Amino acid sequence: MKKIINDPRNYLNEMLEGIYTAHSEMVTYVNDDFQCLVTKKKKEGKVGLATGGGSGHLPLFLGYVGEGLLDGCSVGDVFQSPSAEQMLEVTKEIDSGSGVLYIYGNYNGDIFNFDMAAEMADFESDIRVESVVAGEDVASAGPASPGEKNTRRGVAGIFFVFKCAGAAADKMMDLDNVKRVAEKAADNVRTMGVALTPCVVPRVGKAGFSIKEDEMEIGMGIHGETGIRRGKLEPADQIVEEMLEKILQDKPYKNGDEVAVLINGLGATTLDEQYIVTRKVNQILNEKGIEVHKYFVGEYATALEMAGVSISLIKLDDELKELIDYPAYTPFFKQ
Amino acid sequence: MNFTNKEGISLVNDLIKTIQENRDYLSKVDGAIGDGDHGINMSKGFTMAEEELKKHSDYNMSEGLMVLSKMLMGKIGGSMGPLYGNLFRGMATVSKDKDIIDSKVVGDMLEKAYSNIASISSAKPGDKTLMDVLDPAVKKYVHEINMNKNMIEALNSMAESADEGLESTKDMVAKIGRASRLGERSRGFQDAGATSCNLILKSFAKSIIKITS
C-alpha cells in the first residue's frame, strides 16, 4: 500500500478534520461526532435531504452537502455504512418541520441502518422520513421485474438524483413532490463502469483482488465488485462502445431523447482520459440521434485509487432539465 | 440446571474475549472474498462494549448484552453492526425480567436472536451468510430440549450444528451481502459472517456450560 496517510485507524477522522477545516463556511457536524455532517446554510421550512454511506468515494457522498443540493450526510468508515444513530442525528438536525428525504445507494448495510434511523426519527421526534434508494449500475444485475426489488448497485449516477431532488427541495416543493422527483430521476439514470486497477482499503492495507497490467474489467463496482467481463485492455473508443451500448439498450435511450451525461473518473484516471471518453460518447450519441443537454466531466464518485471511468446517462423531460440546470453551491460542486 | 442472570455476565465477558482473540482470524477469513476488515470492525465494537461495561460492574447478563447491542448498533454501522446489534438486543430483552436463566429462557434467547435477525435480513440458509450457522444451530437446541435432553446436551448439539453450518458455507455461492459481488468466485471459501456467528454461538454455549457445572 502506498498512500499519504498516518495511522490507518485515524484515516476517517483525519480526512473529516480536513473537510471541516477547508469548508468551514459551508459544513459542520453535530452530536460531537465528525461522522454526522450537516450544512451550515439551513433553509427554514425546506424539505431536508440526507444521504449517507461509506467513505472512500469523495466527492460522494458528503461533497454534495450545500446550497441547492443536500442538507446532511452520515459518513461511514471506508466502504462501510455509518450507523443508524449517526443518520438519526443528521436527520434531527436538518429537519425544519417539512420532513426529510433519504437518498442513498442500494447496499445492504446502508438499507439496514437508514431504515432503522427513519423509524427512530419518526418514533423519537415525529419526523416524517421517506427514502429513495438509487441502484443504476446496469452491470450489477438485470432490471427489476414489476413488483420486485431492484438489486442493482448504486454508483455515480446517484449524483443526478441528488441534483434533481436538491433543486426541487430548494424550490420549496413538499416532501411528496421531492420524493416523486427523486424517484423519477432514479428511474431515468443508468451507469456502467470499467476498472483498470484495484483499490486498497486503508485499514486492510492490501487489495482484495488484482487486475493484470494489460487487463481491464468492464462493469466493476465502486468497491471492486465483480463486473461482467474481464479481458485485455482495449483502445478508449472500443471500451466506450461496449459500455455505452449496454447503457443505451437498458433504459432504452432512443433517437429523439434528450439526456445529461456524467463522465466520472474513479480516482486514478486523468481528466485527459475522461475527456477522450467524452469525445467518443458524444460521437455515438450524435449517431443515435440522442441530444445531449449537458455534460458533467470529472470525479463525482470515486473508488479510492481505482483507475477507470464510469459513464452515466439520465433521460430528461422539461422538469428534470430545469432541475439539472438549477444553481448549486457545495464544497465539491458549484454551478 | 440453571444460573442467575447476575452470574450470566461472565457469558458477555467471554463473548468479548472470543471476538478480540479472533480479530485477525476473522479478518483473514474475510480477506478471501470480502474486504478483509470483519475482524477489525467486530473487535472495535466488542472492545467499546468492554470499555462501557468496566463502568458498570454491577450489570447482569441482560444488561451486558444490551450494552453490546447498543455499541454495535450505534457505533459500528456496516451490515454487521445492525445484524449483531439486533441479535444481542433480542437476547437481552427476552431475559431481562428473569432472575433465573434455565433451559427454557436460553431457548427463548436463541429464538429471539434468530427472529430479530430474520426481521431485518432477507438471507435464507444456503445464501452463504451467518444464517447458515444461526438457523440450524437454534433449531437444533430447541429440538434437543423438546426431546427432553438437558441444557448441556442441547448446547453441545447446538455447537456441533454451528460447526456443520459453518463448514457448509464453503461450498456455497454467496447470494447476499459483500461476497455476493464475486458470484461463482465466492465458492470454496468459508463465509466471514458465518464464522463470527459460529464463534459467538460456541462461546455462548461454552460459557453456560462453565457457569452451570
Side-chain angles (χ1 to χ4, degrees):
Chain A
M1 174 173 62
K2 204 170 173 186
K3 289 179 193 281
I4 304 171
I5 58 171
N6 300 303
D7 185 333
R9 281 174 299 189
N10 302 330
Y11 182 91
L12 179 64
N13 271 335
E14 291 180 356
M15 180 274 281
L16 288 171
E17 196 178 331
I19 294 278
Y20 293 119
T21 303
H23 305 291
S24 59
E25 79 291 4
M26 278 187 261
V27 292
T28 184
Y29 55 95
V30 290
N31 202 33
D32 233 5
D33 185 347
F34 276 179
Q35 292 177 248
C36 303
L37 182 143
V38 296
T39 180
K40 273 191 173 173
K41 314 267 181 179
K42 186 170 173 180
K43 191 166 167 179
E44 282 308 316
K46 184 180 92 68
V47 170
L49 292 188
T51 190
S55 294
H57 304 300
L58 278 178
L60 203 64
F61 295 86
L62 64 85
Y64 302 116
V65 173
E67 291 168 276
L69 263 161
L70 310 175
D71 302 290
C73 176
S74 56
V75 186
D77 210 331
V78 176
F79 293 1
Q80 191 179 1
S81 169
S83 72
E85 187 183 293
Q86 287 161 337
M87 190 60 156
L88 175 65
E89 292 303 326
V90 167
T91 309
K92 288 198 283 200
E93 178 63 26
I94 66 172
D95 176 57
S96 56
S98 303
V100 172
L101 179 67
Y102 291 173
I103 304 171
Y104 58 94
N106 194 12
Y107 297 93
N108 272 329
D110 295 324
I111 295 169
F112 287 161
N113 286 295
F114 301 160
D115 278 356
M116 248 190 281
E119 278 178 20
M120 287 151 79
D122 176 41
F123 183 82
E124 288 178 20
S125 313
D126 267 330
I127 300 171
R128 186 180 155 211
V129 176
E130 294 289 333
S131 298
V132 173
V133 181
E136 28 56 88
D137 185 344
V138 301
S140 56
S145 322
E148 260 185 30
K149 259 172 69 179
N150 177 19
T151 55
R152 287 179 163 172
R153 298 184 293 258
V155 286
I158 198 173
F159 164 74
F160 285 132
V161 186
F162 289 160
K163 183 70 196 69
C164 294
D170 201 67
K171 288 160 72 99
M172 303 305 278
M173 284 189 190
D174 64 13
L175 181 55
D176 289 329
N177 269 305
V178 177
K179 186 184 180 191
R180 175 186 60 78
V181 163
E183 281 175 339
K184 181 159 80 170
D187 284 345
N188 280 290
V189 62
R190 298 288 186 277
T191 299
M192 173 94 104
V194 60
L196 311 185
T197 64
C199 48
V200 179
V201 176
R203 65 183 180 281
V204 177
K206 57 180 192 325
F209 60 98
S210 60
I211 302 175
K212 286 199 194 110
E213 184 56 34
D214 60 345
E215 281 188 345
M216 64 174 180
E217 184 158 324
I218 301 266
M220 179 167 270
I222 56 172
H223 312 90
E225 293 96 330
T226 305
I228 50 177
R229 184 177 79 81
R230 190 178 280 209
K232 291 273 178 239
L233 181 61
E234 293 164 1
D237 286 2
Q238 255 169 274
I239 298 172
V240 171
E241 272 169 19
E242 180 173 351
M243 286 163 63
L244 199 53
E245 190 191 321
K246 294 258 175 7
I247 293 171
L248 293 177
Q249 279 171 358
D250 192 89
K251 171 70 189 131
Y253 301 89
K254 300 185 300 278
N255 187 357
D257 285 349
E258 194 170 3
V259 297
V261 178
L262 168 62
I263 308 296
N264 170 57
L266 290 178
T269 287
T270 60
L271 262 176
D272 307 42
E273 291 160 88
Q274 293 169 38
Y275 280 106
I276 290 170
V277 167
T278 306
R279 164 195 162 273
K280 184 62 186 177
V281 168
N282 192 55
Q283 275 180 10
I284 297 173
L285 294 179
N286 277 343
E287 283 163 21
K288 305 263 181 200
I290 297 168
E291 190 184 332
V292 181
H293 173 65
K294 197 169 208 158
Y295 278 102
F296 299 86
V297 183
E299 288 182 351
Y300 285 76
T302 59
L304 294 167
E305 69 274 74
M306 185 183 279
V309 291
S310 66
I311 302 169
S312 306
L313 262 62
I314 180 171
K315 183 177 162 182
L316 301 173
D317 60 11
D318 289 342
E319 182 181 42
L320 292 181
K321 199 153 81 174
E322 188 192 334
L323 299 171
I324 288 279
D325 289 342
Y326 192 85
Y329 193 83
T330 78
F332 290 84
F333 183 79
K334 300 169 177 76
Q335 79 171 17
Chain B
M1 193 175 289
N2 53 48
F3 57 100
T4 65
N5 201 327
K6 189 94 201 151
E7 289 172 305
I9 188 68
S10 69
L11 176 156
V12 181
N13 295 328
D14 290 346
L15 280 170
I16 292 169
K17 246 181 266 143
T18 300
I19 293 299
Q20 288 170 335
E21 284 166 9
N22 286 283
R23 174 181 183 267
D24 294 342
Y25 168 63
L26 286 173
S27 286
K28 194 174 153 236
V29 170
D30 188 38
I33 49 171
D35 284 340
D37 62 357
H38 185 47
I40 298 169
N41 295 330
M42 291 288 283
S43 178
K44 189 167 136 195
F46 279 66
T47 302
M48 285 164 103
E50 182 184 36
E51 295 300 318
E52 183 63 23
L53 283 172
K54 277 183 191 156
K55 297 181 212 155
H56 305 282
S57 55
D58 57 327
Y59 272 15
N60 64 20
M61 175 188 73
S62 303
E63 290 163 324
L65 288 167
M66 193 53 104
V67 167
L68 200 46
S69 168
K70 281 190 173 160
M71 287 300 156
L72 292 169
M73 304 261 287
K75 307 291 177 200
I76 294 305
S79 299
M80 286 304 166
L83 285 169
Y84 283 128
N86 266 292
L87 181 145
F88 291 122
R89 196 184 61 215
M91 289 184 163
T93 48
V94 294
S95 61
K96 87 174 167 55
D97 296 327
K98 314 280 183 196
D99 293 330
I100 300 296
I101 311 296
D102 58 14
S103 64
K104 165 81 171 60
V105 179
V106 168
D108 291 345
M109 287 168 71
L110 290 167
E111 288 197 300
K112 182 68 177 156
Y114 175 86
S115 66
N116 269 18
I117 290 215
S119 73
I120 60 165
S121 167
S122 57
K124 300 272 177 300
D127 289 346
K128 198 176 179 105
T129 70
L130 64 87
M131 270 302 186
D132 289 303
V133 169
L134 189 62
D135 180 87
V138 171
K139 283 181 180 152
K140 187 75 176 181
Y141 178 87
V142 173
H143 173 79
E144 295 286 277
I145 294 294
N146 288 341
M147 301 297 288
N148 292 319
K149 298 278 175 60
N150 70 37
M151 183 160 64
I152 291 180
E153 288 167 328
L155 286 168
N156 279 323
S157 300
M158 176 186 85
E160 279 170 32
S161 217
D163 281 342
E164 288 161 17
L166 177 60
E167 186 64 26
S168 74
T169 65
K170 285 185 187 166
D171 197 40
M172 291 174 187
V173 173
K175 304 251 174 42
I176 201 165
R178 279 274 159 111
S180 65
R181 19 165 130 140
L182 295 177
E184 191 61 38
R185 277 191 246 166
S186 65
R187 197 190 293 280
F189 299 95
Q190 174 178 321
D191 181 66
T195 309
S196 54
C197 187
N198 172 279
L199 290 170
I200 285 168
L201 289 178
K202 287 200 313 196
S203 171
F204 178 88
K206 207 170 136 192
S207 299
I208 294 175
I209 293 168
K210 198 170 69 189
I211 303 167
T212 52
S213 52

